[in-house]
Amino acid sequence: MLWLTIAPLDAPGFRSTQIGMAEALERLGITVRLMGKSMGGQALPVKGTTTLVPRKGRLATELSYHYALWKLLLGKGFDIAMFEPPQLRFAIVPALLSRLGILRARFVMDVRTPPVDDSRKSLAELINYRLSMKFAKYFLSGVTVITEALKEDLRPFFGDKLPVAVWGSAVDERLFNPSRPQYSLKKELGLESRFIFFYHGSLSMQRGLKELLYAMEKLKASHPDAALVLLGGGIDEEGLKALAKDLGLSETVYFLKPVDNNAVPAYIAMADVGVVPLPDDRCWQVSSPLKLFEYLAMQKPVLVSDIIAHRAVLGDAPYAVYARHITPEGLYGALKACIEKISFLNKSALTARGHVLKNQTWLSRAEALSSYLRMISGGRGK
């Protein structure tokens, strides 16, 4: 399988889904080659399965990407080529040739998320998303989506014309394992005596982080030992740092640069509570919360927003504290409840790992995806 992804494969913090699923599919006998644009970082730690297209300016990068894609499609004999909606421009011609029987590969589109409701999104991006759905209906062999809820949202585009499979986010249970020795970061970061709330991922105002900072300002007055650690980068990193400074949170909120996925468990290990404050927007309602699975696999209590995606995973789990509203007041109440109930939450969270291991590992997700891909390819498995 050739997997075209928009994820920067050589940049830390953005490629865990691709690594996790690719390695799991390989364990099931499906050879996977990942292809993406380079960010100038280190190569993906899966030898022989990655094609990185260096950035050389927009036009040169586009031409290099097309060249590398055609070289792979014509030379490697792939049975499946999977791409994401933003890559429609690369997939149109080869997908049409596949439909005509000229190219061997069957084309499948993977939809991880609908467009985020963000005024900074260009009209072109939103149009591309809709065009990719229309194109898929008539010219692709299949579509995969991240949740059943997203599958239902896309049903008006596809009807029963296309086979649609669901594979959600998951966790590498071997990496995110509380039994593994972890390097102690609390002392290094000067947080040994602090109660740590932890968030890792994209630093975006669209993910409830602005409200979380205001909530930490309120919490600081009653619980000055509480700290919030934000691990990651993103479009709003500088804006969030400026807000934290304006709120007087320089000794309460700590911004850490992104690290590779292999290093993340050590950061989770030092945390008291993992936080996933996604607002109640449709794009998050139909999501599959990868970071949440990582907290649970590490047996950590979690503070989450009360949205469909989180309820689908957690239900009424005793190790979860729900913020009913993603407002400073709603999050403050949830933060305070976590501190006050931490003994109970810690005891309950000992069962969280078992919950995740039942069906939310990459291998279990890959088993479902591999069956679908073999069906699409007519039983072939490359």
Side-chain angles (χ1 to χ4, degrees):
M1 180 177 83
L2 176 61
W3 185 354
L4 313 180
T5 177
I6 60 173
L9 295 173
D10 58 350
F14 297 97
R15 61 196 193 185
S16 53
T17 293
Q18 289 72 25
I19 293 175
M21 180 54 82
E23 291 184 343
L25 287 171
E26 293 270 357
R27 290 165 66 185
L28 296 174
I30 294 181
T31 303
V32 179
R33 174 169 286 274
L34 290 162
M35 180 177 171
K37 294 178 183 177
S38 171
M39 295 292 287
Q42 296 180 345
L44 189 73
V46 184
K47 290 185 178 180
T49 60
T50 306
T51 295
L52 292 174
V53 178
R55 291 177 182 266
K56 307 173 182 177
R58 180 161 186 161
L59 179 59
T61 301
E62 291 282 303
L63 292 174
S64 296
Y65 198 100
H66 278 287
Y67 173 77
L69 174 59
W70 280 105
K71 185 177 179 180
L72 287 169
L73 287 173
L74 295 175
K76 295 293 183 180
F78 291 103
D79 298 302
I80 294 288
M82 186 163 72
F83 71 98
E84 298 162 29
Q87 297 163 312
L88 176 64
R89 63 193 185 278
F90 300 116
I92 288 177
V93 174
L96 290 174
L97 293 178
S98 170
R99 200 68 171 172
L100 293 171
I102 299 172
L103 276 183
R104 172 188 175 94
R106 306 283 176 83
F107 275 72
V108 173
M109 184 169 67
D110 178 47
V111 187
R112 296 287 91 193
T113 178
V116 176
D117 185 10
D118 186 340
S119 60
R120 291 167 297 197
K121 285 283 184 183
S122 70
L123 180 60
E125 289 176 284
L126 299 176
I127 292 174
N128 180 83
Y129 183 82
R130 287 190 166 271
L131 285 176
S132 65
M133 300 301 139
K134 293 288 187 182
F135 183 81
K137 180 177 179 178
Y138 296 105
F139 300 108
L140 298 186
S141 297
V143 171
T144 65
V145 296
I146 195 168
T147 60
E148 289 288 346
L150 183 55
K151 181 179 178 179
E152 288 304 309
D153 277 7
L154 297 182
R155 187 176 295 277
F157 288 105
F158 309 134
D160 297 322
K161 191 173 181 65
L162 267 181
V164 180
V166 178
W167 64 277
S169 298
V171 65
D172 182 343
E173 75 281 8
R174 298 167 299 177
L175 177 62
F176 290 86
N177 187 342
S179 299
R180 292 182 63 194
Q182 301 290 348
Y183 176 68
S184 178
L185 288 168
K186 270 196 168 185
K187 184 176 182 180
E188 179 180 312
L189 297 173
L191 299 173
E192 290 176 284
S193 61
R194 309 293 291 275
F195 187 102
I196 299 177
F197 292 98
F198 180 75
Y199 168 93
H200 69 301
S202 178
L203 299 186
S204 166
M205 299 287 188
Q206 304 299 319
R207 294 172 180 254
L209 297 181
K210 179 180 178 180
E211 292 80 2
L212 184 59
L213 291 187
Y214 279 108
M216 288 301 298
E217 180 192 28
K218 295 171 67 69
L219 188 69
K220 179 182 174 183
S222 58
H223 295 84
D225 62 327
L228 171 64
V229 174
L230 301 173
L231 176 69
I235 190 171
D236 289 321
E237 179 178 355
E238 295 306 316
L240 289 167
K241 286 180 177 179
L243 177 60
K245 183 178 179 181
D246 291 344
L247 295 176
L249 298 176
S250 58
E251 298 297 322
T252 301
V253 178
Y254 298 84
F255 292 85
L256 304 180
K257 293 183 180 299
V259 299
D260 197 60
N261 209 44
N262 290 332
V264 171
Y267 288 85
I268 297 178
M270 76 169 181
D272 292 287
V273 176
V275 183
V276 191
L278 300 175
D280 191 16
D281 297 332
R282 188 58 184 169
C283 60
W284 304 127
Q285 292 170 358
V286 300
S287 68
S288 180
L290 183 148
K291 311 304 183 188
L292 175 58
F293 297 145
E294 293 174 349
Y295 298 142
L296 299 182
M298 292 291 289
Q299 298 180 326
K300 293 296 179 179
V302 291
L303 187 167
V304 297
S305 49
D306 195 357
I307 62 175
I308 295 170
H310 295 155
R311 284 284 178 183
V313 174
L314 295 165
D316 295 320
Y319 42 79
V321 173
Y322 285 100
R324 303 295 178 184
H325 304 285
I326 300 304
T327 62
E329 294 74 19
L331 285 167
Y332 166 70
L335 292 167
K336 191 167 176 287
C338 286
I339 295 174
E340 293 171 352
K341 297 168 55 180
I342 193 58
S343 295
F344 171 76
L345 291 171
N346 280 334
K347 183 177 180 180
S348 300
L350 295 176
T351 65
R353 181 174 172 81
H355 178 84
V356 170
L357 295 187
K358 287 180 181 178
N359 57 13
Q360 290 155 347
T361 65
W362 285 120
L363 188 59
S364 64
R365 300 293 199 210
E367 287 170 350
L369 179 59
S370 65
S371 296
Y372 174 79
L373 295 177
R374 292 183 195 280
M375 181 269 293
I376 291 293
S377 67
R380 296 171 293 175
K382 188 175 180 183

